Amino acid sequence: MDFPFPFILCDIGGTNARFALKSAPDAPLLPGPPVKTADYGTFEAALAAAVAVFGAKPRSVIACAAGPVEGRSVKLTNAGWSVEGEAVARELALDQGLLLNDFEAQALSLPALREDWTKPVGASPPHARGTRLVIGVGTGLGAAALVEVEGRWLALPTEAGHVDFAPVGVDEAAIWPHLSIGALGRISAETVLSGSGIARLHQARCAALGHGPSPLDEIGVVAEALATPGGEAARTLAMFWSLVARCAGDLALDFLAKGGVVFSGGVLPKIAPFLDETKFRARFEDKAPFGELMTTIATRLVVAGDVVLPGMAAIAVTPSAYVIDYAARAWR
């Protein structure tokens, strides 16, 4: 497999789409301006706008998108775009292209993750060999695992954000009946652990406390919490972190992620002031009878910008280092 230069990398989320250009193997990654997904009717239109900004016609494109990928196609879960890789290749006269699920790409990017792009969460143990897990909270909740197979990297994408998510303990049990479940008719992990989930959780907490309905969206909840660190919005964000820790601990057990858990996505760095690292680790490790095992699993938070773009660039530069079914998934 070969991805001829120059190539464009695309990170397509439910809210934002980000682009970067790499013109040669040793050239720096040139980021383009992020765009709002809702501002463009199609991925092709947004990509054409990025190409115009870069002023260089790409020969290859590697894109990741927030939705389940079927071969060369994806329908975004939380936005109106559908991406058909072969159609994009024809329209732009590309030599090659590849489409990845967003958290498949996040997992494949872990080997390229620099130490200074992350910070430990709590008293984390040193890095260890084994399955790695990446979890991201943004427009939705995503997760994927990474394993090493005969010296190459294989990603295991999931739809973990859509599994049922039940309350644990008296505090959560009091809140759950007040959660707005929306069109799905059930409470999934993503119902609470997402950008909109912050507002949903805050409204449920206010209702459980007997307060009036909260008019705040997730941005408003964060703003109020920052303005009033001792208020209810701040307590909502503290509970949010506790739920993230609980969910992450469950997923770490699911995958036996001895290689550690990395937290990415746009939401968590913004609410880091409300993270109690000691309580986070206690909740993450509270998985009897495997509490001792959980103490050996490192947890780290990505604090740099969109690290998936340099991660995908590494795939394009050395595609043989990754276990990807290029024959079934490449656009040409």
Side-chain angles (χ1 to χ4, degrees):
M1 177 53 55
D2 179 46
F3 293 96
F5 291 88
F7 55 72
I8 286 182
L9 308 158
C10 318
D11 178 13
I12 310 165
T15 303
N16 298 298
R18 298 174 176 84
F19 300 89
L21 174 75
K22 192 169 179 68
S23 58
D26 56 352
L29 203 60
L30 177 64
V35 303
K36 295 294 183 184
T37 307
D39 289 346
Y40 292 88
T42 65
F43 167 67
E44 289 88 340
L47 180 57
V51 170
V53 169
F54 291 128
K57 182 185 181 303
R59 295 180 62 193
S60 306
V61 167
I62 296 185
C64 68
V69 173
E70 297 290 340
R72 301 171 177 88
S73 305
V74 66
K75 168 69 175 71
L76 267 67
T77 302
N78 294 306
W81 289 2
S82 292
V83 181
E84 301 287 343
E86 290 173 295
V88 176
R90 286 194 302 270
E91 184 167 327
L92 291 183
L94 298 173
D95 292 328
Q96 194 50 276
L98 181 68
L99 183 61
L100 303 168
N101 168 264
D102 59 339
F103 271 85
E104 178 185 20
Q106 291 273 6
L108 291 170
S109 298
L110 290 176
L113 199 63
R114 286 178 13 192
E115 194 75 13
D116 60 339
W117 291 351
T118 69
K119 67 176 289 292
V121 178
S124 276
H127 289 297
R129 291 183 62 86
T131 301
R132 306 185 199 181
L133 184 64
V134 59
I135 300 171
V137 179
T139 305
L141 173 67
L146 183 74
V147 296
E148 190 173 0
V149 180
E150 297 180 348
R152 298 194 296 158
W153 298 110
L154 171 66
L156 305 173
T158 79
E159 289 296 339
H162 299 286
V163 302
D164 289 334
F165 197 54
V168 171
V170 174
D171 290 343
E172 293 177 16
I175 291 167
W176 246 242
H178 301 283
L179 283 169
S180 170
I181 58 178
L184 293 179
R186 65 186 181 91
I187 298 173
S188 66
E190 187 174 277
T191 301
V192 181
L193 301 179
S194 60
S196 60
I198 289 176
R200 200 173 286 117
L201 181 64
H202 186 61
Q203 290 164 4
R205 285 193 67 255
C206 289
L209 291 168
H211 300 168
S214 168
L216 300 175
D217 62 7
E218 59 268 28
I219 296 172
V221 173
V222 175
E224 183 170 304
L226 289 169
T228 312
E232 290 301 335
R235 294 187 183 96
T236 292
L237 296 182
M239 173 173 274
F240 187 87
W241 274 112
S242 177
L243 295 173
V244 170
R246 178 160 73 79
C247 179
D250 288 340
L251 289 173
L253 279 179
D254 287 340
F255 288 96
L256 201 58
K258 295 182 179 181
V261 180
V262 172
F263 297 94
S264 68
V267 170
L268 297 182
K270 295 175 183 176
I271 63 170
F274 306 96
L275 168 63
D276 183 318
E277 297 185 12
T278 300
K279 290 181 179 178
F280 183 96
R281 283 297 306 190
R283 198 69 189 274
F284 176 82
E285 295 168 7
D286 185 16
K287 300 296 176 186
F290 293 103
E292 185 174 349
L293 167 66
M294 298 300 290
T295 66
T296 69
I297 298 177
T299 47
R300 302 186 67 84
L301 175 66
V302 174
V303 293
D306 194 353
V307 298
V308 74
L309 293 174
M312 289 195 296
I315 297 172
V317 171
T318 317
S320 61
Y322 302 85
V323 182
I324 298 172
D325 187 358
Y326 295 113
R329 300 180 64 180
W331 298 355
R332 294 290 197 184

